[in-house]
Amino acid sequence: MEMIRKEAAAFIKEKVNVEPTVGLILGSGLGVLADEIQNPVVISYKDIPHFPESTVSGHKGQLVIGKLEGRQVIAMQGRFHYYEGYDMKQVTFPVRVMKELGVETLFVTNAAGGINEGFNAGDLMVITDHINNLGDNPLVGSNDDELGPRFPDMSEAYDRSLIEHAMKSADRLSLNVQKGVYIGNKGPAYETGAEVRMLRTWGGDAVGMSTVPEVTVANHAGIRVLGISCISNMAAGILDQPLTHDEVIETTAQVREDFLSFVKDMLKTLPA
Ligand code: HPA
């Protein structure tokens, strides 16, 4: 693990001459943010030693490194999902590599189904906390104390000051941004209506199939996290209509401008 992490990081370091401090993981339909990065160095996942390859449509499968709103960033245009068959270590490998490259702050984004009936498709939600319903954890197995503690604290998995920072950005831009708890499910099937009702009693506001593994590893590694969900659809059983991946991609495309200005404003005003 140590060797392969260092080899992947060394390969990337050779191609860029600045140290990225902010990592961006861009979810389904949200990869457009990386197109705004200036003087980008683009590295395809398949060229990076030990990197898995992305398989979902709507995900590109490359790293984009450069400057965005004055910050040195490294963006993942497309991520790895547990449901694709990768194990948890593979899903979170890019976060380990980011840490190795100097990343201190991670913005994690995703498309998610709205569980909270006060939400609407097209809303943006700042993640305040999560529930791991994946039935697995990326930290299972022997612990490398160099990377982080055996039993990492998750009581502030999403950095409180970053949540405040995000809500200030939303105010500045007059965006009506929601706050809530993200539940990470294994997928790839969407939930049943009964499952969505159960998840609501658990305290979930949105449900998706990603984010929880990466955020767990980021916390282990001492990287502070900001999470943003794009509510691409209301979760199953709430509206009388079936769920499709096309709807997810369509909605994320519709909120593209709000999403872009939101993340860019947060980057621009992020305390160093
Ligand atoms: N459920 C799970 N994952 C999702 C959803 C959903 O409704 N929408 C987008 N990703």
Side-chain angles (χ1 to χ4, degrees):
M1 165 67 175
E2 194 191 342
M3 269 289 288
I4 66 172
R5 185 183 77 249
K6 292 206 158 134
E7 278 174 26
F11 178 87
I12 296 162
K13 269 185 202 161
E14 217 171 81
K15 299 210 165 355
V16 290
N17 41 24
V18 289
E19 191 172 270
T21 53
V22 181
L24 305 167
I25 300 182
L26 304 175
S28 298
L30 303 173
V32 285
L33 182 64
D35 298 336
E36 311 253 324
I37 294 173
Q38 287 149 19
N39 303 323
V41 173
V42 180
I43 310 175
S44 182
Y45 295 159
K46 64 181 185 318
D47 295 330
I48 307 171
H50 316 295
F51 241 67
E53 264 181 72
S54 180
T55 65
V56 194
S57 73
H59 289 258
K60 260 187 183 160
Q62 59 192 25
L63 290 180
V64 184
I65 305 158
K67 216 169 194 187
L68 187 58
E69 297 296 329
R71 315 302 295 231
Q72 298 295 345
V73 302
I74 176 168
M76 286 184 77
Q77 225 170 9
R79 60 144 63 84
F80 306 111
H81 301 86
Y82 194 48
Y83 65 72
E84 291 176 87
Y86 302 114
D87 67 30
M88 282 278 174
K89 302 274 184 223
Q90 292 175 300
V91 168
T92 55
F93 183 65
V95 179
R96 294 293 186 202
V97 173
M98 283 184 182
K99 175 74 183 181
E100 190 73 30
L101 292 170
V103 165
E104 295 162 351
T105 306
L106 183 64
F107 287 13
V108 186
T109 70
N110 59 56
I115 296 175
N116 185 321
E117 287 173 297
F119 290 0
N120 290 298
D123 282 351
L124 296 171
M125 182 188 92
V126 171
I127 305 176
T128 54
D129 208 344
H130 77 213
I131 292 173
N132 179 357
N133 193 39
L134 287 154
D136 202 349
N137 189 296
L139 305 177
V140 168
S142 64
N143 188 60
D144 182 344
D145 294 337
E146 303 251 306
L147 296 183
R150 170 74 290 187
F151 302 111
D153 176 39
M154 293 291 285
S155 60
E156 206 181 318
Y158 299 81
D159 187 271
R160 225 166 282 158
S161 62
L162 287 177
I163 294 171
E164 270 176 37
H165 181 74
M167 296 320 285
K168 279 191 197 139
S169 278
D171 273 355
R172 241 190 323 269
L173 302 170
S174 304
L175 288 176
N176 180 24
V177 172
Q178 311 282 3
K179 277 203 263 185
V181 172
Y182 175 92
I183 298 187
N185 264 0
K186 192 182 291 181
Y190 291 118
E191 301 69 35
T192 64
E195 285 165 346
V196 170
R197 289 191 295 279
M198 176 192 74
L199 297 175
R200 187 178 298 127
T201 70
W202 285 6
D205 296 293
V207 58
M209 306 173 192
S210 67
T211 301
V212 164
E214 294 105 316
V215 171
T216 303
V217 164
N219 274 267
H220 183 248
I223 298 173
R224 59 187 193 147
V225 174
L226 174 75
I228 300 159
S229 291
C230 167
I231 306 300
S232 56
N233 56 280
M234 290 309 286
I238 297 177
L239 306 174
D240 193 18
Q241 61 187 48
L243 268 52
T244 65
H245 185 59
D246 288 346
E247 181 193 359
V248 170
I249 297 299
E250 264 167 45
T251 310
T252 50
Q254 280 162 17
V255 300
R256 175 172 300 172
E257 291 313 315
D258 284 352
F259 173 76
L260 290 179
S261 46
F262 187 37
V263 178
K264 283 160 73 176
D265 187 77
M266 284 188 282
L267 275 176
K268 188 162 66 191
T269 54
L270 189 69

